[in-house]
Amino acid sequence: MLNNISRNWFSVGFRYLYYLDKHFNLVLEAGNDYMKNNRSGIEGSLRKITFSPQISWDYGYYSRPVLRPFITYAHWSENFTGLVGGSDFNTRLLNKNNGLSFGLQLEIWW
């Protein structure tokens, strides 16, 4: 059965929230993903760190809705160059092993 395993993936990270008041907090999130593909022989890591000031409904990790502008820096192994961060609309990262991303998220669930 173990010979059928094609990928091993391990992920670890943390998220810290610092409340300035009931509706406004600062978030720092960091993580590392390690992946090894036994079929292709590709293995490596993707490391990222994200900062976000967010507006939330109330105190608490699960309080929603949340509006968050964010900025993320990521760095990945040379083996992942051309495989991470690219899309049909964004080819800027195809020859790089790091990049910066930013945007705005609205999270609502119940």
Side-chain angles (χ1 to χ4, degrees):
M1 195 70 152
L2 290 177
N3 293 335
N4 292 333
I5 296 174
S6 63
R7 289 186 201 133
N8 296 308
W9 178 35
F10 178 75
S11 182
V12 63
F14 77 91
R15 184 179 221 197
Y16 178 75
L17 280 78
Y18 179 78
Y19 286 89
L20 298 173
D21 65 27
K22 182 178 178 178
H23 300 292
F24 189 72
N25 54 70
L26 304 174
V27 178
L28 183 66
E29 183 175 306
N32 183 62
D33 291 304
Y34 169 80
M35 195 272 301
K36 180 179 180 182
N37 187 319
N38 293 327
R39 290 185 183 166
S40 69
I42 295 175
E43 72 175 293
S45 294
L46 179 134
R47 292 163 296 282
K48 65 130 181 142
I49 187 164
T50 299
F51 173 72
S52 173
Q54 63 181 24
I55 300 168
S56 61
W57 188 258
D58 200 355
Y59 290 109
Y61 186 81
Y62 294 107
S63 176
R64 300 294 181 264
V66 176
L67 180 66
R68 65 175 73 92
F70 69 91
I71 186 163
T72 298
Y73 173 76
H75 182 274
W76 48 92
S77 301
E78 291 290 334
N79 289 343
F80 292 155
T81 300
L83 301 174
V84 174
S87 72
D88 292 339
F89 304 105
N90 181 10
T91 58
R92 183 176 58 85
L93 298 175
L94 287 179
N95 296 319
K96 295 185 178 184
N97 70 339
N98 63 77
L100 197 60
S101 175
F102 57 90
L104 183 66
Q105 295 175 331
L106 174 62
E107 186 172 344
I108 301 175
W109 47 270
W110 52 93

